[in-house]
Amino acid sequence: MKIIHTINGLQAELSALKACGKSVGLVPTMGALHAGHASLVKRSVAENDVTVVSVFVNPTQFNDKSDLIKYPRTLEADSKLLESTGASYLFAPSVEEIYPESDTRFFSFPPLDTVMEGAFRSGHFNGVCQIVTKLFDLVKPVRAYFGEKDFQQLAIIRELVRVMNYRIEIVGCPIVREEDGLALSSRNARLSALERENALKISQALFKSRTFAATHTVSETLKFVEEAIAAVSGLRLEYFEIVNGDTLQRVTDWEEASYVVGCITAFSGEVRLIDNIKYKDFLN
Ligand code: PAF
């Protein structure tokens, strides 16, 4: 695996490979890689001739500057993990390389980006779309891989690709969890032992709510999860919403959509964690 820091270096490598007809898969990340990222990379390696993994902590998607400062940066460990996945390139540019001048482009996909994360993290999805379009334009992949843990991000990127006519297949990959159910996240590294114990209650509430939902209404299920989180003194719920998985708009009845997902964000101590669960899936 080659580590590349410059756009010119990456493009020189990729244009030679594309000239030989090689297909390129892209896995955009912000580093602090874990088994969830590895699952995206392995899928890309299986489906493409060449896989580019970008590691870039994108400043434009952080509305909270202290969150940006605290975000883990672990390039050496990331490159070690990637060696075992079969990735061809680790692209790790500097902020100046990606944003030689400030990015004034504005992306907006209402109502997908005005709810949930969009309501609580002003400008976040604009920043995500800025970096993702830059990476798409640089790498020009055939496929790009994103995790379903960031459920809203995945929906917005699919919409971005549709509206901007990118000829890129967006591959959504299932959430990878610890054995006990905690969704893998780069932020988990910041949890103390007690915060980790409390954080586990988030996925436990979601799993229990799926059984509960089978015999209860949407509003009863909302209350079930809200109360389960409120019962844990170290957790603070930011939101829990039960939404149509395609439009991300709230549903009030299970029959309103064929794809229904519960999306949650809660703080364990100072660490903001997100997770989601499918109540009704178009695949079932
Ligand atoms: O999901 C992430 O890690 C980031 O939002 C992404 C897609 C790599 C853009 O910075």
Side-chain angles (χ1 to χ4, degrees):
M1 183 186 72
K2 267 197 185 167
I3 302 179
I4 299 182
H5 297 286
T6 64
I7 290 171
N8 281 344
L10 181 68
Q11 288 188 321
E13 291 276 341
L14 292 181
S15 51
L17 289 164
K18 283 181 186 163
C20 315
K22 302 280 188 205
S23 61
V24 177
L26 170 67
V27 184
T29 81
M30 296 207 300
L33 303 181
H34 49 64
H37 296 107
S39 75
L40 307 184
V41 179
K42 285 180 188 157
R43 174 111 183 240
S44 174
V45 169
E47 294 178 352
N48 303 280
D49 298 321
V50 174
T51 290
V52 177
V53 181
S54 61
V55 169
F56 179 67
V57 182
N58 174 38
T60 71
Q61 71 187 74
F62 285 83
N63 56 329
D64 175 352
K65 290 301 160 210
S66 78
D67 199 20
L68 171 62
I69 291 162
K70 280 189 231 149
Y71 205 86
R73 287 155 173 90
T74 57
L75 192 60
E76 216 177 289
D78 292 346
S79 75
K80 273 206 192 108
L81 181 143
L82 288 174
E83 287 287 359
S84 65
T85 60
S88 328
Y89 297 103
L90 193 182
F91 177 51
S94 65
V95 172
E96 296 71 33
E97 184 74 5
I98 293 293
Y99 297 113
E101 62 262 336
S102 65
D103 193 336
T104 54
R105 296 172 303 153
F106 179 66
F107 297 88
S108 171
F109 300 102
L112 292 178
D113 58 358
T114 54
V115 296
M116 301 192 287
E117 293 298 288
F120 284 93
R121 301 181 71 189
S122 163
H124 169 66
F125 288 120
N126 186 45
V128 169
C129 291
Q130 287 176 338
I131 185 61
V132 166
T133 50
K134 278 191 183 255
L135 292 169
F136 284 175
D137 294 338
L138 293 176
V139 176
K140 296 192 171 49
V142 175
R143 298 179 192 86
Y145 296 78
F146 296 88
E148 286 182 349
K149 186 166 79 69
D150 294 294
F151 189 80
Q152 187 172 11
Q153 169 174 279
L154 179 58
I156 289 168
I157 290 168
R158 287 193 195 287
E159 183 65 358
L160 168 88
V161 163
R162 190 188 70 76
V163 170
M164 297 184 67
N165 298 308
Y166 278 108
R167 296 183 62 188
I168 299 173
E169 183 191 339
I170 299 302
V171 183
C173 302
I175 298 177
V176 178
R177 297 181 181 278
E178 302 274 10
E179 231 165 77
D180 60 9
L182 180 70
L184 291 192
S185 162
S186 305
R187 290 164 194 254
N188 292 353
R190 285 170 46 204
L191 295 168
S192 69
L194 178 61
E195 288 166 350
R196 164 82 177 63
E197 211 175 285
N198 290 333
L200 180 59
K201 306 279 172 28
I202 300 171
S203 57
Q204 286 177 343
L206 293 182
F207 290 135
K208 283 186 194 151
S209 77
R210 197 160 49 184
T211 312
F212 183 89
T215 51
H216 293 82
T217 65
V218 169
S219 68
E220 286 164 346
T221 307
L222 283 167
K223 195 158 166 260
F224 178 87
V225 172
E226 284 162 5
E227 286 179 357
I229 301 299
V232 184
S233 63
L235 291 180
R236 179 166 63 79
L237 184 66
E238 191 156 81
Y239 64 81
F240 174 60
E241 296 201 7
I242 296 179
V243 300
N244 177 323
D246 294 312
T247 65
L248 305 186
Q249 304 308 293
R250 286 180 190 161
V251 297
T252 51
D253 190 292
W254 298 118
E255 295 314 313
E256 243 172 75
S258 56
Y259 186 22
V260 180
V261 182
C263 297
I264 192 165
T265 291
F267 284 86
S268 183
E270 292 294 300
V271 185
R272 191 174 186 276
L273 299 169
I274 69 172
D275 201 347
N276 64 75
I277 194 138
K278 291 174 185 164
Y279 292 111
K280 269 175 88 178
D281 192 337
F282 50 80
L283 296 174
N284 292 336

